[in-house]
Amino acid sequence: MKLIIQIPCLNEAKTLEIALNDLPRQIDGIDTIEYLIINDGSSDNTVEVARNWGVHYVVNFPRNRGLARGFMAGLDACLKNGADIIVNTDADNQYCGADIEKLVRPILDGKAEVVIGERPIDTTEHFSPLKKKLQHLGSYVVRKASATDIPDAPSGFRAFSRDAAMRMNVINEYTYTLETIVQAGRDRMAITSVPVRTNPELRSSRLFHSMLGYVKRSMLTILRAFMMYRPLFCFTVVAMFPFLTGLGIGVRFLYFFFTTGGAGHVQSLVLACTLMIMGFMTFVIGLQADIIAANRKILEDIRYHLRRMEYDRGKEPEKEPKE
């Protein structure tokens, strides 16, 4: 059983060694632990620090490509190098390395495919009151969108089984944290969370420069991911507003038509017809989006099997459990 711990890095030379020193060297049930960094266009000596420390693998981007792309490139590299379990953590040592054993335990026990580290948000000193409330709000929205019970959706401290990693597909270029939970939930993967500890802040977050910008981009990411997996529901909800409004205006016109002849209310009839047509066309778009989503699911399955063929070449097949 091989565990590879991956760390996305962007100019992390000052903190990377601290984070690496905190990582576990052995875990019960794990035969081999290896380490990988994703150098996302760093302009400092991040790679040199990693190699001097003894990191096994380095994924290099010549320029910054963003956290989401770096995460997916790390998963691909881990799978190619035979990882049975992949753990993603941060280079600023935000998470306690000893808690990686907590993350991988549900996977080792066969109880989960994806495990999210739940931070103590309410007691984290460097989180402002506003950030704490927004973290809870964002997690609530993700829980509803993904049909899961994950309490800390933005947490980047997480573990994936080999099979779950092969199924991951991140479309947005901002962050992988929210979209992967929505995908895992809607694909009915076994996903759970475990409480983890955090370390004092070594540097400010680089994911967002303002709270408003973070909220806006996070909401767009959640909405986009939800629309990918439940497009018919989303478009039906949107279609209901103009259609029902138009229906109400149409009923009002019919009332005046049968009571007073409808004189002077032709504008209401035109508006009612326009709104109802808008609602109906939006619903039709939802049907088309649902068909596209079905095709996307087929493509995801094809990609999953291609990944298995590529990454499992030369790897011993898993034994079927005896009945």
Side-chain angles (χ1 to χ4, degrees), residues 42-309:
S42 298
S43 57
D44 63 2
N45 61 332
T46 294
V47 174
E48 182 181 348
V49 170
R51 293 194 187 280
N52 289 340
W53 187 87
V55 165
H56 298 82
Y57 313 104
V58 176
V59 176
N60 264 311
F61 289 160
R63 61 174 296 182
N64 180 259
R65 299 183 66 184
L67 185 60
R69 290 189 178 184
F71 169 78
M72 288 303 300
L75 287 189
D76 285 340
C78 290
L79 290 168
K80 287 178 182 177
N81 288 285
D84 297 294
I85 301 176
I86 301 168
V87 166
N88 187 88
T89 188
D90 285 356
D92 61 355
N93 200 38
Q94 176 184 171
Y95 308 103
C96 183
D99 288 337
I100 288 178
E101 182 170 2
K102 292 183 180 179
L103 282 181
V104 302
R105 188 56 55 191
I107 297 177
L108 290 173
D109 293 341
K111 297 179 180 178
E113 299 171 277
V114 181
V115 184
I116 312 295
E118 177 192 351
R119 298 167 294 178
I121 293 174
D122 291 327
T123 58
T124 301
E125 295 182 358
H126 60 269
F127 281 6
S128 67
L130 176 59
K131 185 174 181 178
K132 292 176 182 178
K133 291 184 181 299
L134 290 175
Q135 293 275 10
H136 287 305
L137 175 61
S139 296
Y140 171 78
V141 174
V142 172
R143 285 197 296 273
K144 294 301 180 182
S146 62
T148 65
D149 58 355
I150 301 302
D152 186 10
S155 171
F157 196 36
R158 50 187 64 192
F160 300 87
S161 69
R162 183 175 181 82
D163 189 76
M166 289 185 188
R167 294 184 183 277
M168 286 292 113
N169 293 291
V170 178
I171 305 300
N172 83 90
E173 298 181 1
Y174 180 53
T175 178
Y176 62 89
T177 55
L178 308 178
E179 185 176 340
T180 50
I181 293 178
V182 175
Q183 181 186 352
R186 291 301 168 184
D187 284 351
R188 298 188 179 277
M189 296 184 195
I191 179 171
T192 189
S193 65
V194 295
V196 297
R197 295 164 292 174
T198 56
N199 296 314
E201 186 179 31
L202 297 180
R203 61 162 175 77
S204 58
S205 173
R206 293 173 180 166
L207 187 59
F208 59 94
H209 301 290
S210 69
M211 196 64 67
L212 179 61
Y214 173 73
V215 172
K216 181 178 71 174
R217 298 190 71 171
S218 296
M219 291 299 102
L220 288 175
T221 299
I222 295 169
L223 178 61
R224 185 179 182 184
F226 188 56
M227 289 181 67
M228 284 178 58
Y229 289 91
R230 296 194 65 188
L232 184 57
F233 175 82
C234 291
F235 280 97
T236 300
V237 171
V238 173
M240 285 175 61
F241 290 100
F243 186 85
L244 293 179
T245 302
L247 183 62
I249 296 174
V251 171
R252 176 179 176 274
F253 171 79
L254 291 175
Y255 170 78
F256 286 113
F257 180 80
F258 287 111
T259 56
T260 64
H265 297 284
V266 177
Q267 298 90 336
S268 297
L269 178 61
V270 174
L271 179 60
C273 292
T274 301
L275 289 173
M276 292 178 70
I277 291 172
M278 288 174 58
F280 177 74
M281 293 304 298
T282 303
F283 177 73
V284 171
I285 293 173
L287 291 175
Q288 294 175 331
D290 194 57
I291 295 172
I292 294 173
N295 288 330
R296 179 193 51 75
K297 179 61 179 174
I298 294 172
L299 291 174
E300 284 185 348
D301 289 340
I302 293 173
R303 185 176 185 182
Y304 165 72
H305 288 293
L306 288 174
R307 280 175 168 174
R308 289 199 63 176
M309 291 172 62

